[in-house]
């Protein structure tokens, strides 16, 4: 992988991780369109770690407060929020530990699946855009339902942020709170998956076939674009401006299906 390829894929990962357009789907599209081939998951680990770091940067005050609350041993709003986050992770934990290989074997990650799931993402975003904002607080049932949508979003092309934010809005929750919860709930699952992948080996340049400087370029690009996308998404959801993503996902999904069937 060259430095230019790492830069492009890193920018793509950072932008699409937080915008509701599916980062995994766009990585598949980017590799297919530019003919980029990678061995193992070294690059994916690097760019996912970068996007986690961008979330930590944007929400550093919230994360710091929640971290301190872990040691208060009192049930208050902060410890309740921590429990909500942990409760939301149960579905993706079950899928990741017991069904990840079966899901990948059953559905694969080709352009046909990516295109279909992008169309599903477009529908979810359209429904969420039209949903009235009731400003309801998050409950444990809501956290679990949003967690289910995150677990289903393991399918390439089905946007994780799009699925979780749409679910929260359809449940009538306050817009800014939904985005904040959607971004914070993914930290531990991404870090956990990256750690498991790292333990499998194949991260060295010799094993992955990717030069260290390419990994660093991809990491930096994903981090900087992730910062921009995260802040932008918070503002867009607050202002209820999702129609552009509805159109984009519909067009991208149609393009993927067309590219798959005519190539």
């Amino acid at each position: 992988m060259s430095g230019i390829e790492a830069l492009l894929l890193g920018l793509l990962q950072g932008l699409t991780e937080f915008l509701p357009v599916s980062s995994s789907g766009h990585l598949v599209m980017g590799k297919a369109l530019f003919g980029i081939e990678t061995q193992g998951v070294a690059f994916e680990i690097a760019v996912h770690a970068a996007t986690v770091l961008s979330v930590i940067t944007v929400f550093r005050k919230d994360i710091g407060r929640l971290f301190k609350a872990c040691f208060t041993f009192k049930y208050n709003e902060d410890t309740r929020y921590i429990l909500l986050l942990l409760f939301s992770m149960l579905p993706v934990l079950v899928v990741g530990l017991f069904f990840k290989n079966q899901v990948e074997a059953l559905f694969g990650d080709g352009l046909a699946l990516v295109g279909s799931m992008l169309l599903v993402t477009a529908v979810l975003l359209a429904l969420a855009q039209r949903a009235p904002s009731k400003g309801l607080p998050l409950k444990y049932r809501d956290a679990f339902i949003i967690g289910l949508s995150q677990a289903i979003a393991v399918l390439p092309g089905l946007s994780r942020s799009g699925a979780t934010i749409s679910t929260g809005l359809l449940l009538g929750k306050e817009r800014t709170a939904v985005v904040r919860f959607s971004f914070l709930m993914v930290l531990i699952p991404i870090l956990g998956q990256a750690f498991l992948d790292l333990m499998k080996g194949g991260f060295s340049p010799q094993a992955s076939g990717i030069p260290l400087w390419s990994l660093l370029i991809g990491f930096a690009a994903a981090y900087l674009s992730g910062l921009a996308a995260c802040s932008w998404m918070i503002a867009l959801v607050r202002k209820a401006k999702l129609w552009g993503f509805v159109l984009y996902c519909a067009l991208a999904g149609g393009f993927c299906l067309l590219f798959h069937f005519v190539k």
Side-chain angles (χ1 to χ4, degrees):
M1 177 183 291
S2 69
I4 295 297
E5 292 172 339
L7 176 65
L8 292 174
L9 291 180
L11 289 173
L12 193 62
Q13 166 66 27
L15 287 172
T16 57
E17 180 67 40
F18 303 113
L19 300 181
V21 294
S22 177
S23 61
S24 60
H26 277 73
L27 281 179
V28 172
M29 286 191 292
K31 290 179 180 180
L33 291 174
F34 296 109
I36 300 173
E37 295 184 3
T38 57
Q39 303 174 21
V41 292
F43 187 79
E44 284 74 9
I45 292 174
V47 294
H48 275 99
T51 53
V52 166
L53 184 59
S54 65
V55 173
I56 293 173
T57 301
V58 172
F59 292 101
R60 59 189 179 279
K61 293 182 179 179
D62 293 307
I63 293 172
R65 188 181 70 252
L66 294 175
F67 183 77
K68 291 179 181 178
C70 293
F71 301 97
T72 61
F73 304 105
K74 296 179 181 178
Y75 187 78
N76 52 36
E77 282 302 309
D78 287 334
T79 52
R80 178 180 178 274
Y81 197 83
I82 293 171
L83 291 175
L84 286 170
L85 290 172
L86 293 174
F87 209 59
S88 73
M89 296 173 194
L90 292 177
V92 77
L93 178 65
V94 172
V95 171
L97 289 178
F98 301 108
F99 301 107
K100 185 175 183 292
N101 292 334
Q102 290 87 332
V103 170
E104 290 178 349
L106 181 61
F107 292 101
D109 61 355
L111 282 179
L113 176 64
V114 169
S116 300
M117 291 301 102
L118 280 169
L119 294 179
V120 172
T121 299
V123 172
L124 286 174
L125 292 173
L127 292 174
Q129 175 68 40
R130 299 179 64 88
S133 180
K134 301 177 182 178
L136 299 175
L138 279 168
K139 299 180 180 179
Y140 289 103
R141 177 183 64 90
D142 304 319
F144 186 78
I145 294 173
I146 295 173
L148 283 175
S149 66
Q150 176 171 256
I152 296 171
V154 298
L155 296 173
L158 184 56
S159 168
R160 188 208 63 81
S161 62
T164 54
I165 291 172
S166 295
T167 301
L169 295 179
L170 289 170
L171 290 171
K173 306 307 167 184
E174 197 274 324
R175 290 181 173 274
T176 303
V178 166
V179 180
R180 175 174 176 256
F181 190 78
S182 171
F183 289 166
L184 291 178
M185 69 186 286
V186 77
L187 290 180
I188 293 179
I190 287 183
L191 288 174
Q193 182 61 50
F195 177 77
L196 292 175
D197 290 336
L198 187 60
M199 290 299 98
K200 295 177 182 177
F203 197 72
S204 67
Q206 293 79 11
S208 67
I210 302 175
L212 178 60
W213 56 273
S214 290
L215 287 177
L216 292 176
I217 290 173
F219 181 93
Y223 172 71
L224 294 175
S225 59
L227 280 179
C230 188
S231 302
W232 187 25
M233 190 61 194
I234 294 171
L236 288 174
V237 174
R238 185 186 295 126
K239 297 176 181 178
K241 293 184 177 181
L242 297 177
W243 285 116
F245 296 113
V246 173
L247 178 61
Y248 176 82
C249 287
L251 291 175
F255 175 79
C256 284
L257 292 176
L258 181 64
F259 187 82
H260 171 77
F261 289 113
V262 302
K263 67 176 181 178

Short mmCIF file of all heavy atoms in Angstrom, two decimals, residues 190-253:
data_model
loop_
_atom_site.label_atom_id
_atom_site.label_comp_id
_atom_site.label_asym_id
_atom_site.label_seq_id
_atom_site.Cartn_x
_atom_site.Cartn_y
_atom_site.Cartn_z
N ILE A 190 -15.12 -1.03 19.59
CA ILE A 190 -14.06 -0.85 18.60
C ILE A 190 -12.69 -1.17 19.20
O ILE A 190 -11.88 -1.87 18.59
CB ILE A 190 -14.06 0.58 18.03
CG1 ILE A 190 -15.25 0.78 17.10
CG2 ILE A 190 -12.78 0.86 17.26
CD1 ILE A 190 -15.31 2.14 16.44
N LEU A 191 -12.45 -0.68 20.42
CA LEU A 191 -11.18 -0.97 21.07
C LEU A 191 -11.03 -2.46 21.35
O LEU A 191 -9.95 -3.04 21.18
CB LEU A 191 -11.07 -0.18 22.38
CG LEU A 191 -10.83 1.33 22.24
CD1 LEU A 191 -10.88 2.00 23.60
CD2 LEU A 191 -9.50 1.61 21.56
N GLY A 192 -12.14 -3.09 21.76
CA GLY A 192 -12.10 -4.53 22.03
C GLY A 192 -11.81 -5.33 20.77
O GLY A 192 -10.99 -6.26 20.79
N GLN A 193 -12.47 -4.98 19.66
CA GLN A 193 -12.24 -5.68 18.41
C GLN A 193 -10.82 -5.45 17.91
O GLN A 193 -10.16 -6.38 17.42
CB GLN A 193 -13.24 -5.21 17.35
CG GLN A 193 -13.12 -5.93 16.01
CD GLN A 193 -13.36 -7.41 16.13
OE1 GLN A 193 -14.35 -7.84 16.72
NE2 GLN A 193 -12.47 -8.23 15.59
N ALA A 194 -10.33 -4.22 18.04
CA ALA A 194 -8.96 -3.93 17.62
C ALA A 194 -7.95 -4.73 18.44
O ALA A 194 -6.96 -5.24 17.91
CB ALA A 194 -8.69 -2.44 17.75
N PHE A 195 -8.23 -4.85 19.74
CA PHE A 195 -7.32 -5.62 20.61
C PHE A 195 -7.31 -7.09 20.21
O PHE A 195 -6.24 -7.72 20.13
CB PHE A 195 -7.75 -5.47 22.07
CG PHE A 195 -6.92 -6.28 23.03
CD1 PHE A 195 -5.65 -5.86 23.39
CD2 PHE A 195 -7.42 -7.46 23.56
CE1 PHE A 195 -4.89 -6.60 24.28
CE2 PHE A 195 -6.66 -8.21 24.44
CZ PHE A 195 -5.38 -7.78 24.80
N LEU A 196 -8.50 -7.65 19.94
CA LEU A 196 -8.57 -9.06 19.54
C LEU A 196 -7.84 -9.28 18.21
O LEU A 196 -7.12 -10.28 18.05
CB LEU A 196 -10.03 -9.50 19.42
CG LEU A 196 -10.82 -9.58 20.74
CD1 LEU A 196 -12.28 -9.92 20.46
CD2 LEU A 196 -10.21 -10.61 21.67
N ASP A 197 -8.03 -8.36 17.27
CA ASP A 197 -7.34 -8.48 15.98
C ASP A 197 -5.84 -8.35 16.15
O ASP A 197 -5.05 -9.04 15.49
CB ASP A 197 -7.85 -7.42 15.01
CG ASP A 197 -9.28 -7.68 14.54
OD1 ASP A 197 -9.70 -8.85 14.58
OD2 ASP A 197 -9.97 -6.72 14.15
N LEU A 198 -5.44 -7.46 17.06
CA LEU A 198 -4.01 -7.25 17.30
C LEU A 198 -3.38 -8.51 17.89
O LEU A 198 -2.24 -8.87 17.55
CB LEU A 198 -3.82 -6.07 18.24
CG LEU A 198 -2.38 -5.59 18.49
CD1 LEU A 198 -1.75 -5.15 17.18
CD2 LEU A 198 -2.36 -4.45 19.50
N MET A 199 -4.12 -9.20 18.77
CA MET A 199 -3.61 -10.41 19.39
C MET A 199 -3.43 -11.55 18.38
O MET A 199 -2.66 -12.48 18.61
CB MET A 199 -4.55 -10.87 20.51
CG MET A 199 -4.55 -9.96 21.73
SD MET A 199 -2.92 -9.83 22.55
CE MET A 199 -2.28 -8.29 21.88
N LYS A 200 -4.16 -11.47 17.27
CA LYS A 200 -4.03 -12.51 16.25
C LYS A 200 -2.73 -12.38 15.46
O LYS A 200 -2.36 -13.28 14.71
CB LYS A 200 -5.22 -12.44 15.28
CG LYS A 200 -6.56 -12.76 15.93
CD LYS A 200 -7.69 -12.59 14.92
CE LYS A 200 -9.05 -12.85 15.56
NZ LYS A 200 -10.17 -12.63 14.61
N GLY A 201 -2.05 -11.25 15.62
CA GLY A 201 -0.80 -11.03 14.89
C GLY A 201 -1.04 -10.44 13.52
O GLY A 201 -2.16 -10.06 13.16
N GLY A 202 0.01 -10.36 12.74
CA GLY A 202 -0.10 -9.83 11.38
C GLY A 202 -0.05 -8.33 11.31
O GLY A 202 -0.41 -7.74 10.29
N PHE A 203 0.40 -7.68 12.41
CA PHE A 203 0.41 -6.23 12.42
C PHE A 203 1.76 -5.66 11.96
O PHE A 203 1.86 -4.49 11.63
CB PHE A 203 0.10 -5.72 13.84
CG PHE A 203 -0.31 -4.28 13.88
CD1 PHE A 203 -1.55 -3.88 13.41
CD2 PHE A 203 0.54 -3.31 14.40
CE1 PHE A 203 -1.93 -2.55 13.45
CE2 PHE A 203 0.17 -1.98 14.45
CZ PHE A 203 -1.08 -1.61 13.98
N SER A 204 2.77 -6.47 11.95
CA SER A 204 4.09 -5.99 11.54
C SER A 204 4.12 -5.75 10.03
O SER A 204 3.36 -6.36 9.28
CB SER A 204 5.17 -7.02 11.91
OG SER A 204 5.01 -8.20 11.14
N PRO A 205 5.01 -4.84 9.57
CA PRO A 205 5.11 -4.60 8.13
C PRO A 205 5.43 -5.86 7.34
O PRO A 205 4.97 -6.02 6.20
CB PRO A 205 6.24 -3.57 8.04
CG PRO A 205 6.22 -2.87 9.36
CD PRO A 205 5.84 -3.92 10.35
N GLN A 206 6.23 -6.76 7.94
CA GLN A 206 6.58 -8.00 7.24
C GLN A 206 5.37 -8.89 7.03
O GLN A 206 5.20 -9.51 5.98
CB GLN A 206 7.66 -8.75 8.03
CG GLN A 206 9.01 -8.06 8.10
CD GLN A 206 9.04 -6.94 9.15
OE1 GLN A 206 8.11 -6.83 9.95
NE2 GLN A 206 10.10 -6.16 9.13
N ALA A 207 4.50 -8.96 8.04
CA ALA A 207 3.33 -9.83 7.96
C ALA A 207 2.20 -9.21 7.14
O ALA A 207 1.50 -9.90 6.41
CB ALA A 207 2.82 -10.17 9.37
N SER A 208 2.00 -7.89 7.28
CA SER A 208 0.88 -7.23 6.61
C SER A 208 1.21 -6.79 5.19
O SER A 208 0.31 -6.61 4.36
CB SER A 208 0.43 -6.01 7.41
OG SER A 208 1.44 -5.01 7.42
N GLY A 209 2.51 -6.59 4.91
CA GLY A 209 2.90 -6.09 3.61
C GLY A 209 2.68 -4.60 3.46
O GLY A 209 2.79 -4.04 2.36
N ILE A 210 2.37 -3.89 4.56
CA ILE A 210 2.12 -2.45 4.54
C ILE A 210 3.26 -1.75 5.26
O ILE A 210 3.53 -2.04 6.43
CB ILE A 210 0.78 -2.12 5.24
CG1 ILE A 210 -0.37 -2.85 4.56
CG2 ILE A 210 0.52 -0.62 5.20
CD1 ILE A 210 -1.70 -2.66 5.27
N PRO A 211 3.95 -0.82 4.61
CA PRO A 211 5.05 -0.09 5.26
C PRO A 211 4.54 0.69 6.48
O PRO A 211 3.39 1.14 6.51
CB PRO A 211 5.54 0.86 4.17
CG PRO A 211 5.06 0.27 2.88
CD PRO A 211 3.76 -0.41 3.21
N LEU A 212 5.39 0.84 7.46
CA LEU A 212 5.01 1.54 8.69
C LEU A 212 4.58 2.97 8.39
O LEU A 212 3.61 3.47 8.98
CB LEU A 212 6.19 1.53 9.67
CG LEU A 212 5.96 2.28 11.00
CD1 LEU A 212 4.80 1.68 11.76
CD2 LEU A 212 7.23 2.27 11.84
N TRP A 213 5.27 3.64 7.47
CA TRP A 213 4.91 5.03 7.18
C TRP A 213 3.53 5.14 6.53
O TRP A 213 2.82 6.13 6.71
CB TRP A 213 5.98 5.71 6.33
CG TRP A 213 6.31 5.02 5.04
CD1 TRP A 213 7.21 4.02 4.85
CD2 TRP A 213 5.72 5.27 3.76
NE1 TRP A 213 7.23 3.64 3.52
CE2 TRP A 213 6.33 4.39 2.84
CE3 TRP A 213 4.76 6.16 3.30
CZ2 TRP A 213 5.99 4.36 1.49
CZ3 TRP A 213 4.43 6.14 1.95
CH2 TRP A 213 5.04 5.26 1.06
N SER A 214 3.12 4.10 5.80
CA SER A 214 1.78 4.10 5.22
C SER A 214 0.72 3.98 6.33
O SER A 214 -0.33 4.63 6.28
CB SER A 214 1.62 2.96 4.23
OG SER A 214 2.38 3.20 3.06
N LEU A 215 1.00 3.13 7.32
CA LEU A 215 0.08 2.99 8.46
C LEU A 215 -0.03 4.32 9.21
O LEU A 215 -1.13 4.72 9.62
CB LEU A 215 0.56 1.90 9.40
CG LEU A 215 0.40 0.45 8.94
CD1 LEU A 215 0.99 -0.51 9.96
CD2 LEU A 215 -1.07 0.12 8.71
N LEU A 216 1.10 5.00 9.39
CA LEU A 216 1.10 6.29 10.10
C LEU A 216 0.33 7.35 9.32
O LEU A 216 -0.41 8.15 9.90
CB LEU A 216 2.54 6.75 10.35
CG LEU A 216 3.34 5.90 11.34
CD1 LEU A 216 4.78 6.40 11.42
CD2 LEU A 216 2.69 5.91 12.72
N ILE A 217 0.50 7.36 8.00
CA ILE A 217 -0.24 8.30 7.17
C ILE A 217 -1.75 8.02 7.26
O ILE A 217 -2.56 8.94 7.42
CB ILE A 217 0.23 8.23 5.71
CG1 ILE A 217 1.64 8.80 5.57
CG2 ILE A 217 -0.74 8.99 4.78
CD1 ILE A 217 2.25 8.62 4.19
N GLY A 218 -2.12 6.75 7.16
CA GLY A 218 -3.52 6.38 7.27
C GLY A 218 -4.09 6.74 8.63
O GLY A 218 -5.23 7.23 8.74
N PHE A 219 -3.31 6.52 9.69
CA PHE A 219 -3.75 6.86 11.05
C PHE A 219 -4.00 8.36 11.18
O PHE A 219 -5.05 8.79 11.68
CB PHE A 219 -2.69 6.40 12.06
CG PHE A 219 -3.05 6.67 13.49
CD1 PHE A 219 -3.69 5.69 14.25
CD2 PHE A 219 -2.75 7.89 14.09
CE1 PHE A 219 -4.03 5.94 15.58
CE2 PHE A 219 -3.09 8.15 15.41
CZ PHE A 219 -3.72 7.16 16.16
N ALA A 220 -3.03 9.17 10.75
CA ALA A 220 -3.17 10.62 10.86
C ALA A 220 -4.35 11.14 10.04
O ALA A 220 -5.12 12.00 10.51
CB ALA A 220 -1.87 11.29 10.41
N ALA A 221 -4.53 10.61 8.84
CA ALA A 221 -5.63 11.05 7.98
C ALA A 221 -6.98 10.69 8.59
O ALA A 221 -7.91 11.50 8.58
CB ALA A 221 -5.50 10.42 6.60
N ALA A 222 -7.09 9.48 9.14
CA ALA A 222 -8.34 9.05 9.76
C ALA A 222 -8.65 9.87 11.00
O ALA A 222 -9.80 10.21 11.27
CB ALA A 222 -8.27 7.56 10.10
N TYR A 223 -7.62 10.20 11.78
CA TYR A 223 -7.82 10.98 13.01
C TYR A 223 -8.33 12.39 12.68
O TYR A 223 -9.32 12.86 13.24
CB TYR A 223 -6.53 11.06 13.80
CG TYR A 223 -6.61 12.01 14.98
CD1 TYR A 223 -7.38 11.68 16.10
CD2 TYR A 223 -5.94 13.24 14.97
CE1 TYR A 223 -7.47 12.56 17.18
CE2 TYR A 223 -6.02 14.11 16.04
CZ TYR A 223 -6.79 13.77 17.15
OH TYR A 223 -6.89 14.63 18.21
N LEU A 224 -7.66 13.07 11.77
CA LEU A 224 -8.02 14.45 11.45
C LEU A 224 -9.40 14.53 10.77
O LEU A 224 -10.22 15.39 11.11
CB LEU A 224 -6.96 15.08 10.55
CG LEU A 224 -5.59 15.28 11.21
CD1 LEU A 224 -4.57 15.79 10.20
CD2 LEU A 224 -5.69 16.25 12.38
N SER A 225 -9.66 13.63 9.82
CA SER A 225 -10.97 13.64 9.16
C SER A 225 -12.05 13.19 10.13
O SER A 225 -13.20 13.65 10.05
CB SER A 225 -10.95 12.75 7.91
OG SER A 225 -10.61 11.41 8.23
N GLY A 226 -11.70 12.30 11.07
CA GLY A 226 -12.67 11.87 12.09
C GLY A 226 -13.06 13.01 13.00
O GLY A 226 -14.24 13.14 13.38
N LEU A 227 -12.11 13.85 13.37
CA LEU A 227 -12.42 15.02 14.19
C LEU A 227 -13.44 15.92 13.49
O LEU A 227 -14.42 16.37 14.09
CB LEU A 227 -11.14 15.83 14.45
CG LEU A 227 -10.19 15.37 15.55
CD1 LEU A 227 -8.99 16.30 15.61
CD2 LEU A 227 -10.90 15.34 16.90
N ALA A 228 -13.19 16.18 12.21
CA ALA A 228 -14.08 17.06 11.45
C ALA A 228 -15.47 16.44 11.31
O ALA A 228 -16.49 17.11 11.50
CB ALA A 228 -13.48 17.34 10.08
N ALA A 229 -15.51 15.13 10.97
CA ALA A 229 -16.79 14.46 10.74
C ALA A 229 -17.61 14.36 12.02
O ALA A 229 -18.83 14.53 12.00
CB ALA A 229 -16.55 13.08 10.16
N CYS A 230 -16.94 14.08 13.13
CA CYS A 230 -17.65 13.95 14.41
C CYS A 230 -18.32 15.27 14.79
O CYS A 230 -19.51 15.30 15.14
CB CYS A 230 -16.65 13.51 15.50
SG CYS A 230 -17.41 13.08 17.07
N SER A 231 -17.59 16.35 14.71
CA SER A 231 -18.14 17.68 15.05
C SER A 231 -19.25 18.07 14.07
O SER A 231 -20.28 18.64 14.47
CB SER A 231 -17.03 18.73 15.03
OG SER A 231 -16.00 18.38 15.93
N TRP A 232 -19.04 17.77 12.80
CA TRP A 232 -20.02 18.11 11.77
C TRP A 232 -21.32 17.34 11.99
O TRP A 232 -22.42 17.91 11.89
CB TRP A 232 -19.44 17.80 10.39
CG TRP A 232 -20.29 18.26 9.24
CD1 TRP A 232 -21.19 19.28 9.25
CD2 TRP A 232 -20.30 17.72 7.92
NE1 TRP A 232 -21.78 19.41 8.02
CE2 TRP A 232 -21.26 18.47 7.19
CE3 TRP A 232 -19.61 16.70 7.29
CZ2 TRP A 232 -21.53 18.20 5.85
CZ3 TRP A 232 -19.88 16.44 5.96
CH2 TRP A 232 -20.82 17.18 5.25
N MET A 233 -21.21 16.06 12.33
CA MET A 233 -22.41 15.24 12.51
C MET A 233 -23.24 15.72 13.68
O MET A 233 -24.48 15.72 13.63
CB MET A 233 -22.00 13.78 12.70
CG MET A 233 -23.17 12.81 12.64
SD MET A 233 -24.00 12.87 11.03
CE MET A 233 -25.52 11.98 11.42
N ILE A 234 -22.59 16.14 14.76
CA ILE A 234 -23.32 16.66 15.91
C ILE A 234 -24.16 17.86 15.50
O ILE A 234 -25.34 17.96 15.85
CB ILE A 234 -22.33 17.05 17.03
CG1 ILE A 234 -21.62 15.81 17.57
CG2 ILE A 234 -23.06 17.77 18.17
CD1 ILE A 234 -20.49 16.12 18.53
N ALA A 235 -23.58 18.76 14.73
CA ALA A 235 -24.29 19.96 14.29
C ALA A 235 -25.43 19.62 13.33
O ALA A 235 -26.52 20.19 13.42
CB ALA A 235 -23.31 20.93 13.62
N LEU A 236 -25.21 18.68 12.43
CA LEU A 236 -26.23 18.33 11.44
C LEU A 236 -27.45 17.68 12.07
O LEU A 236 -28.59 17.99 11.73
CB LEU A 236 -25.63 17.40 10.38
CG LEU A 236 -24.65 18.03 9.39
CD1 LEU A 236 -24.04 16.97 8.50
CD2 LEU A 236 -25.36 19.09 8.54
N VAL A 237 -27.22 16.76 13.01
CA VAL A 237 -28.36 16.09 13.67
C VAL A 237 -29.12 17.09 14.52
O VAL A 237 -30.36 17.06 14.57
CB VAL A 237 -27.87 14.90 14.51
CG1 VAL A 237 -29.02 14.30 15.31
CG2 VAL A 237 -27.25 13.83 13.61
N ARG A 238 -28.40 17.98 15.19
CA ARG A 238 -29.07 18.98 16.01
C ARG A 238 -30.00 19.85 15.17
O ARG A 238 -31.09 20.24 15.60
CB ARG A 238 -28.03 19.85 16.72
CG ARG A 238 -28.63 20.84 17.71
CD ARG A 238 -27.57 21.77 18.27
NE ARG A 238 -26.61 21.01 19.06
CZ ARG A 238 -25.30 21.05 18.86
NH1 ARG A 238 -24.80 21.78 17.87
NH2 ARG A 238 -24.48 20.36 19.62
N LYS A 239 -29.57 20.13 13.93
CA LYS A 239 -30.37 20.98 13.04
C LYS A 239 -31.32 20.18 12.15
O LYS A 239 -32.00 20.74 11.30
CB LYS A 239 -29.43 21.81 12.14
CG LYS A 239 -28.55 22.77 12.92
CD LYS A 239 -27.59 23.49 11.99
CE LYS A 239 -26.67 24.43 12.76
NZ LYS A 239 -25.69 25.10 11.87
N ALA A 240 -31.35 18.85 12.36
CA ALA A 240 -32.24 17.96 11.59
C ALA A 240 -31.99 18.06 10.09
O ALA A 240 -32.92 18.18 9.30
CB ALA A 240 -33.71 18.27 11.91
N LYS A 241 -30.73 17.99 9.70
CA LYS A 241 -30.36 18.07 8.29
C LYS A 241 -29.73 16.75 7.85
O LYS A 241 -28.51 16.63 7.75
CB LYS A 241 -29.41 19.24 8.05
CG LYS A 241 -30.05 20.61 8.29
CD LYS A 241 -29.08 21.73 7.95
CE LYS A 241 -29.74 23.09 8.13
NZ LYS A 241 -28.83 24.21 7.80
N LEU A 242 -30.58 15.77 7.56
CA LEU A 242 -30.10 14.45 7.17
C LEU A 242 -30.46 14.08 5.74
O LEU A 242 -30.04 13.03 5.26
CB LEU A 242 -30.66 13.38 8.13
CG LEU A 242 -30.23 13.49 9.60
CD1 LEU A 242 -30.92 12.41 10.42
CD2 LEU A 242 -28.72 13.38 9.73
N TRP A 243 -31.24 14.92 5.06
CA TRP A 243 -31.70 14.55 3.73
C TRP A 243 -30.55 14.39 2.73
O TRP A 243 -30.62 13.57 1.82
CB TRP A 243 -32.69 15.59 3.20
CG TRP A 243 -34.05 15.50 3.82
CD1 TRP A 243 -34.67 16.44 4.59
CD2 TRP A 243 -34.95 14.39 3.76
NE1 TRP A 243 -35.91 15.99 5.01
CE2 TRP A 243 -36.11 14.74 4.51
CE3 TRP A 243 -34.91 13.14 3.14
CZ2 TRP A 243 -37.20 13.89 4.65
CZ3 TRP A 243 -35.99 12.28 3.29
CH2 TRP A 243 -37.11 12.65 4.03
N GLY A 244 -29.49 15.16 2.92
CA GLY A 244 -28.35 15.01 2.04
C GLY A 244 -27.74 13.63 2.12
O GLY A 244 -27.33 13.04 1.11
N PHE A 245 -27.70 13.05 3.33
CA PHE A 245 -27.16 11.71 3.51
C PHE A 245 -28.12 10.65 2.97
O PHE A 245 -27.69 9.59 2.52
CB PHE A 245 -26.85 11.45 4.98
CG PHE A 245 -25.77 12.35 5.52
CD1 PHE A 245 -26.07 13.30 6.48
CD2 PHE A 245 -24.47 12.25 5.06
CE1 PHE A 245 -25.08 14.14 6.97
CE2 PHE A 245 -23.47 13.08 5.54
CZ PHE A 245 -23.78 14.03 6.50
N VAL A 246 -29.42 10.93 3.06
CA VAL A 246 -30.41 10.02 2.48
C VAL A 246 -30.15 9.89 0.98
O VAL A 246 -30.07 8.77 0.43
CB VAL A 246 -31.85 10.53 2.72
CG1 VAL A 246 -32.85 9.67 1.97
CG2 VAL A 246 -32.16 10.53 4.21
N LEU A 247 -29.99 11.03 0.31
CA LEU A 247 -29.75 11.03 -1.13
C LEU A 247 -28.41 10.37 -1.45
O LEU A 247 -28.32 9.56 -2.39
CB LEU A 247 -29.78 12.47 -1.66
CG LEU A 247 -29.50 12.65 -3.16
CD1 LEU A 247 -30.54 11.91 -3.98
CD2 LEU A 247 -29.49 14.14 -3.52
N TYR A 248 -27.38 10.70 -0.68
CA TYR A 248 -26.06 10.15 -0.95
C TYR A 248 -26.06 8.63 -0.81
O TYR A 248 -25.52 7.92 -1.67
CB TYR A 248 -25.03 10.76 -0.01
CG TYR A 248 -23.65 10.15 -0.18
CD1 TYR A 248 -22.81 10.60 -1.19
CD2 TYR A 248 -23.21 9.11 0.63
CE1 TYR A 248 -21.55 10.03 -1.38
CE2 TYR A 248 -21.97 8.53 0.45
CZ TYR A 248 -21.15 9.00 -0.56
OH TYR A 248 -19.92 8.42 -0.74
N CYS A 249 -26.64 8.11 0.27
CA CYS A 249 -26.66 6.66 0.48
C CYS A 249 -27.45 5.95 -0.60
O CYS A 249 -27.07 4.86 -1.06
CB CYS A 249 -27.25 6.33 1.86
SG CYS A 249 -26.15 6.73 3.24
N ALA A 250 -28.55 6.57 -1.04
CA ALA A 250 -29.35 5.98 -2.11
C ALA A 250 -28.56 5.92 -3.41
O ALA A 250 -28.55 4.89 -4.11
CB ALA A 250 -30.64 6.78 -2.30
N LEU A 251 -27.87 7.01 -3.74
CA LEU A 251 -27.08 7.04 -4.97
C LEU A 251 -25.88 6.09 -4.89
O LEU A 251 -25.58 5.37 -5.84
CB LEU A 251 -26.60 8.46 -5.24
CG LEU A 251 -27.68 9.48 -5.63
CD1 LEU A 251 -27.08 10.88 -5.74
CD2 LEU A 251 -28.36 9.08 -6.93
N ALA A 252 -25.19 6.10 -3.73
CA ALA A 252 -24.03 5.22 -3.56
C ALA A 252 -24.44 3.76 -3.60
O ALA A 252 -23.75 2.92 -4.19
CB ALA A 252 -23.32 5.54 -2.24
N GLY A 253 -25.59 3.44 -2.97
CA GLY A 253 -26.08 2.08 -3.00
C GLY A 253 -26.43 1.63 -4.41
O GLY A 253 -26.08 0.52 -4.83
#
